[in-house]
Amino acid sequence: MPTVDYVRLCFSVSMMFVIAALPSARSANAQPTSPSTVVRDSLHREADVHFQTWRRNYESRTELGDIAAYQKQMRVDFSERIGGIPRPTSLNAKVTGTIQRDGYTVEKVLFESQPQFYVTAGLFLPDPAKFPPPWPAVIVVCGHSAEGKQQLGYQSGTALAALNGLAAMVVDPVGQGERAQMLSSNGKPAMKAGTIEHTVLGTGAILVGWNTARWMIADGMAAIDYLQSRDDIHADQIGCMGNSGGGTQTSYLMALDERIKAAAPSCYITGFKRLLETIGPQDAEQNIFGQIALGMDHADYLMMRAPKPTMMCCATKDFFDIDGAWGSFRDAKRLFQRFGKGRNLELIEVDATHGWHPMIRQASVQFMAQHLAGRLIDVDEPEIETLTVNEMNVTPAGQVMLLPNAVSAFDHIRQESERLAKARHDNPLDADALRRVVRATASIRELSQLPIPVVRQSAEVKIGNLTYQPVQLQIDEDVHLPGLIARPEKSASIKNTVNQNRVTCIALAEGKDAVTGVNQEVEKRVASGETVVVLDLRGTGETMPTGKPWYNERFGANGGNSVLAYLLGKSLVGLRAEDCLVAARWLANLEGVERIQWVTSGELTIPSLHAAALEPQLFESVELRDGIESWTEIVNNPQSTNQVPGIVHGALRSYDIPDLTNLIKDQLTIRKVVSGK
């Protein structure tokens, strides 16, 4: 049972958060912040500044020349931030089977979007007697169903297009259908949900400066290459449509590939402000590095392709907020109108929840028929006899990774990691240059640019045999780091110990409670003469996020905050490293010492290591517990757990964790290295 004093301590520190959150301590319009949301709230506040900048830039962009320059630059920036878009040297396409249905034929197509990187698709071709070829064509990109192209709704929408005179090619995304990129020993997907594989893939991809969207976009572009290679397809009459995750892919493809004449993204486009206020960030491929800071909102996917025909498909009760959808539509509609093409942007809304409903499928096919074939038709969806899994499978065993010499997306990341490691080895940076690139990559400010914290104290409390001074370091408008200070008694018994005047900060991933009370570490250190501060860095201890974690438990309680920082062009590693530096400098000044001892664990080892490597003069020693040895380990063992909070976009282009340890090897102690798995 906790002691009365310990209960008082928890109440006291929590009340400090409430006091700090009151309007007198923060901006007049700020809402009170709870400890568990301080990280999220601070990132939302920063995002709001970017949203205001986006609005000013949008309103000023009225000249067609400025709009064209903006569209071009956005495409360049988007491509760079996902690591470039690979293009196939040869598709090596082949039809592995044909299925006949009433009113259309299905060809099962296998092609390579990169060498030996196989893509499976079903090409639904109209009845040539009713619709003589060549046909306009549409690619159908799938949402987040494990079945991929085999999902009944995606099959139905693709068949509906063929029944109305459009060749339609439904494509398996990576991680779905026949394209699981990681298999178990029994040949089945190693991860039950393909969308989990998307985000596991994205973890390693971030480290080399890529994004899961890179593969999906490349696959979609290669599918268009294939369609354009066929004599029975109108090469200049290509459309794209898809729902949910397929709506995401459609949004990206229609913004980046000028060959797409008509596009109909469904149940995806809203706006980042409403997204963050409602369900928060989604899958790895739906978060592009720094896009909020760059000024790339959902409306920009529409505006990047203006004034080409585009139809937003929305559902009233979608978790992709309908108000955000209408806001993006209105902004894009105004820009389309600046071209004199306002009617080229449409929106349909169905009274339903998230999904590619029959009404949306019908409207999408009708839109494609109008803009690709020049036919104004009413489309009704008949009862469609969908293909079974065996009928739909393109590969013999139902998985591309069982094909001889198949290469996976995880292989691509490993190959890129190896290439980058060789480049680092062949062109090593000196210590000063390495520090500069680490600072820039992880977005860590110079020590002189970091704030002096506002420190609040509350009444002393006793925990175990020690008396603690509760403190709270306010280092930003709504970021507060709670801590406890324990000092040795001034007595002759410790006056001459080696630890007298030594100051230690313990910041553990488990939170400060892990080393107070029943744990004897603080008591032993204080008994030896040390002054000890136990501190919760942002996202740990009292500030640990609560509730449902971002995406899946395997990505950690701070996964969502990490993704928010990523969308702002930052990293949680960098933000926490700044916490370390602010706290270390404050503590050294408070106690009148030049350097302090720093002890940390788990997901805080990487930011602590960054801080010490950049400002080693602040640290007498650094002890890392239960940290991973290198980021390369995450790449080589991709089924990582709770590694998202500890990664930095593009870090392996310049450095790995051992490069940081080498900068402070004389000050560093590493205890119990853990696996990145």
Side-chain angles (χ1 to χ4, degrees), residues 506-525:
I506 303 177
L508 303 183
E510 304 93 312
K512 62 184 181 300
D513 293 350
V515 284
T516 57
V518 295
N519 188 296
Q520 300 298 308
E521 179 173 0
V522 178
E523 292 191 9
K524 289 178 180 178
R525 287 180 177 274

Side-chain angles (χ1 to χ4, degrees), residues 448-461:
S448 61
Q449 298 174 325
L450 295 176
I452 303 297
V454 176
V455 182
R456 295 179 176 86
Q457 299 182 357
S458 58
E460 291 183 346
V461 294

Side-chain angles (χ1 to χ4, degrees), residues 16-28 30 454 456 472 474 476-478 480:
M16 289 164 67
F17 272 99
V18 175
I19 293 169
L22 293 175
S24 60
R26 303 171 69 233
S27 62
V454 176
R456 295 179 176 86
Q472 184 185 125
Q474 181 178 353
D476 202 349
E477 181 177 341
D478 45 15
H480 311 83

